[in-house]
Amino acid sequence: MPELPEVETVRRGLTPVLAGARLSRVRINRPDLRFPFPEGFAERLEGATVERIDRRAKYLLLPLSTGETWITHLGMTGRFTLDGTQLGEFEEAAPIAGKHEHFSGCAVRDGAATRIGYADARRFGFMGLIPTAQVEAHPWFSGLGPEPLGNGFSGAHLAEAFAGKTQNIKVSLLDQRIVAGLGNIYVCEALYRARISPLVAAGSVSKARLETLASVVRDVLNDAIAAGGSTLKDFANAEGGQGYFQHRFDVYGREGEPCRGEGCTGTVARIVQGGRSTFYCPTCQKR
């Protein structure tokens, strides 16, 4: 599943072409992805101008001149193409056209036309159209916590959300009601950088350490975005190149390897929490 940095990388790749562009020749090649396309989806996009491209958690939001917002979730294998350049390739290579391309259209901006495609081999992604004024109240968004890169995310917020919580901090950070968009990879990396054990109860961590953790979460995400995301399943960024943050993973995927902490003689371990793999250094990240 693409995480926040990968989705943000796709957003930044789409923005120069789609922001301010008028949509034309929109075509839907099947009735559904994970969910059915909205009724009259192509017709409602035709002629609309994309005002900008936003991101909320792992969703892309494109407010339109029609008063609706086009929502896209990439699922596991969704990727956009712009004139053949793939944005967000998370699994095996997919053809630009053919059975896996489920959406296509044309974006016209400053007299230049760009072909847009959306391919999704496994069809776990989905698209929707929501009245822009109702987006925040929609079930997809109403229960989400603050953005980890936004002003609403802080140690004070975590302290309030974790108060009295006996669940371990790793699983708690994956709760989208507490913080939106954080995924397994970057939670592992942030806990390591903050030297917090993934096994400790969330409510037992001091506010001072949570302030450090909040700052580290932002740093980890910004580092990954700057590097273009993580190439775990052939992810391709907006320029068609790959992201390289995975080469800087301190713990994720490094089970049995030496800890990279200065002076640490520990070994990276892997455990399962909440059905997800957790990688950490038991020496650096003591309970």
Side-chain angles (χ1 to χ4, degrees), residues 89-197:
E89 183 184 340
F90 297 100
E91 288 289 344
E92 68 280 358
I96 296 169
K99 67 178 182 178
H100 292 312
E101 186 180 72
H102 309 307
F103 167 94
S104 63
C106 186
V108 181
R109 173 176 167 173
D110 299 328
T114 302
R115 185 187 187 279
I116 313 164
Y118 176 83
D120 194 341
R122 294 191 181 180
R123 292 192 288 113
F124 288 159
F126 55 91
M127 294 186 180
L129 277 172
I130 302 172
T132 299
Q134 299 176 21
V135 167
E136 291 185 9
H138 191 277
W140 291 344
F141 303 103
S142 61
L144 292 177
E147 288 286 319
L149 296 177
N151 293 332
F153 180 66
S154 64
H157 166 73
L158 289 177
E160 181 178 355
F162 290 165
K165 204 171 184 65
T166 58
Q167 184 182 58
N168 68 72
I169 193 169
K170 161 70 186 306
V171 172
S172 298
L173 284 170
L174 293 175
D175 187 339
Q176 299 298 292
R177 298 168 297 181
I178 292 176
V179 54
L182 275 189
N184 193 51
I185 295 172
Y186 298 107
V187 168
C188 289
E189 291 296 301
L191 287 173
Y192 173 78
R193 286 195 191 183
R195 297 300 188 263
I196 296 174
S197 170

Side-chain angles (χ1 to χ4, degrees), residues 67-78:
E68 293 187 300
T69 293
W70 171 14
I71 310 291
T72 296
H73 193 290
L74 299 173
M76 292 182 68
T77 59

Side-chain angles (χ1 to χ4, degrees), residues 180-223:
L182 275 189
N184 193 51
I185 295 172
Y186 298 107
V187 168
C188 289
E189 291 296 301
L191 287 173
Y192 173 78
R193 286 195 191 183
R195 297 300 188 263
I196 296 174
S197 170
L199 298 167
V200 301
S204 69
V205 182
S206 70
K207 185 177 178 181
R209 296 195 77 191
L210 291 176
E211 288 288 0
T212 298
L213 177 61
S215 177
V216 165
V217 165
R218 284 191 287 270
D219 289 344
V220 168
L221 293 176
N222 281 323
D223 286 350

